[in-house]
């Protein structure tokens, strides 16, 4: 079960996505629109709506897909839109991308929704090591603040291997020490020891398999990890099923 997948506005790309989903034996893929398909990192409400409508088409077409409602925290109209898609069977909100940092005042309406509908919210994070200015990008620390403030919300930290200092992210998670924060294992970074350290220092029941569409690397990261097979099964299947309760 893959908790972090992106669909596309382009149907050829979606056909390729479905091909790889089947090749890698992914039973359920929780998909949101690919942020860069919307043209900018702070897309208009109209563009966000177009992306979510495309995701709805995909989940109606393919039984392995489950919808996630993409939103831009800067668009006030996106709140009602997100609730509409949750009512129509979407399984969560996200990936919240880097249009703006997820300040409590901005994210509260969506936190209220995920608590009401008992679904998770997936938020893009990174702790950059290289000199590239992304002042609107969230950190794990930002998500810890949200998890502390709303303990009934299920907060998913996106792609531990998505770039930047993953060791710093694990340190923050360890200090954060709240039960309602989860992390997906996706991303392109191939450093060894990542999963072992997560299992050792974080709540193993809160580790979720995710790929961010980088399927082979993300699966290899779990397969190569020096952890017990029952823990791998937890990450691949048991933990996601506890977080995502929609059928």
């Amino acid at each position: 079960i893959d908790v972090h997948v992106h669909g596309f506005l382009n149907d050829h790309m979606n056909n390729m996505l479905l091909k790889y989903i089947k090749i890698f034996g992914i039973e359920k893929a929780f998909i949101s629109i690919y942020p860069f398909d919307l043209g900018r990192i702070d897309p208009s409400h109209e563009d966000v709506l177009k992306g979510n409508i495309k995701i709805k088409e995909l989940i109606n077409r393919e039984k392995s897909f489950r919808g996630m409602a993409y939103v831009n925290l800067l668009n006030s109209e996106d709140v009602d839109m997100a609730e509409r898609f949750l009512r129509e069977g979407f399984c969560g909100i996200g990936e919240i991308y880097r249009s703006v940092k997820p300040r409590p005042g901005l994210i509260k309406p969506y936190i209220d929704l995920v608590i009401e509908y008992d679904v998770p919210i997936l938020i893009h994070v990174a702790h950059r090591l290289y000199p590239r200015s992304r002042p609107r990008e969230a950190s794990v620390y930002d998500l810890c603040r949200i998890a502390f403030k709303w303990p009934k919300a299920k907060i998913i930290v996106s792609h531990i291997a998505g770039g930047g200092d993953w060791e710093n992210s694990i340190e923050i998670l360890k200090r954060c020490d709240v039960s309602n924060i989860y992390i997906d294992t996706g991303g392109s970074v191939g450093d060894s020891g990542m999963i072992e350290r997560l299992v050792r220092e974080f709540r193993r029941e809160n580790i979720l398999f995710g790929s961010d569409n980088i399927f082979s690397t993300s699966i290899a990261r779990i397969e190569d990890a020096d952890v017990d097979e029952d823990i791998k099964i937890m990450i691949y299947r048991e933990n996601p099923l506890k977080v995502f309760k929609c059928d």
Side-chain angles (χ1 to χ4, degrees):
I1 296 173
D2 192 334
V3 306
H4 187 164
V5 178
H6 293 294
F8 305 91
L9 295 178
N10 182 289
D11 279 330
H12 172 71
M13 293 292 290
N14 290 322
N15 289 335
M16 293 298 294
L17 170 64
L18 181 56
K19 175 183 176 181
Y20 285 113
I21 290 286
K22 292 181 176 178
I23 286 173
F24 288 109
I26 295 171
E27 177 186 340
K28 294 180 183 179
F30 292 87
I31 63 171
S32 62
I33 195 68
Y34 181 53
F36 291 101
D37 269 14
L38 303 182
R40 46 192 286 182
I41 63 170
D42 58 344
S44 68
H45 169 68
E46 290 73 22
D47 285 339
V48 171
L49 177 60
K50 180 172 70 173
N52 284 319
I53 289 172
K54 187 64 179 182
I55 294 301
K56 186 170 175 60
E57 291 175 7
L58 290 175
I59 65 175
N60 288 339
R61 162 187 158 191
E62 173 51 46
K63 64 181 182 180
S64 63
F65 289 155
R66 302 292 187 274
M68 297 284 285
Y70 186 92
V71 300
N72 176 359
L73 298 182
L74 297 175
N75 297 335
S76 59
E77 310 98 315
D78 286 5
V79 178
D80 288 341
M81 178 207 64
E83 183 166 20
R84 164 194 158 186
F85 283 105
L86 290 176
R87 285 198 310 266
E88 293 178 1
F90 275 37
C91 297
I93 292 176
E95 181 187 11
I96 304 283
Y97 206 52
R98 50 187 176 90
S99 58
V100 66
K101 272 186 173 285
R103 307 291 187 193
L106 288 172
I107 205 166
K108 182 183 184 301
Y110 300 101
I111 296 296
D112 291 342
L113 284 176
V114 299
I115 292 172
E116 178 182 352
Y117 284 86
D118 192 22
V119 296
I121 184 167
L122 172 69
I123 304 176
H124 171 92
V125 301
H127 183 84
R128 301 293 172 185
L129 291 173
Y130 47 85
R132 185 172 179 179
S133 178
R134 289 185 174 183
R136 296 180 288 183
E137 193 163 51
S139 70
V140 176
Y141 176 74
D142 294 318
L143 271 61
C144 283
R145 290 175 60 203
I146 294 168
F148 272 121
K149 188 172 181 65
W150 289 286
K152 293 183 179 180
K154 293 181 281 191
I155 313 294
I156 303 177
V157 176
S158 66
H159 44 54
I160 183 65
D165 188 349
W166 59 267
E167 292 176 301
N168 176 272
S169 295
I170 293 176
E171 279 297 317
I172 295 172
L173 284 170
K174 194 166 64 171
R175 296 175 195 170
C176 185
D177 194 29
V178 289
S179 62
N180 62 319
I181 196 163
Y182 302 82
I183 192 160
D184 88 55
T185 59
S188 59
V189 176
D191 293 358
S192 63
M194 192 182 300
I195 299 302
E196 290 91 333
R197 184 164 177 185
L198 261 179
V199 168
R200 187 170 64 247
E201 300 187 13
F202 186 55
R203 289 178 170 82
R204 59 186 60 180
E205 65 272 16
N206 288 33
I207 305 171
L208 314 174
F209 175 74
S211 70
D212 198 15
N213 291 44
I214 307 170
F215 299 108
S216 56
T217 303
S218 298
I219 292 171
R221 183 176 299 114
I222 307 298
E223 290 301 302
D224 188 57
D226 185 17
V227 297
D228 292 341
E229 285 300 313
D230 60 339
I231 293 176
K232 293 180 182 180
I233 293 170
M234 287 175 66
I235 294 170
Y236 277 136
R237 181 176 178 79
E238 293 174 1
N239 294 346
L241 286 175
K242 291 175 183 176
V243 176
F244 290 88
K245 296 182 179 178
C246 62
D247 187 16

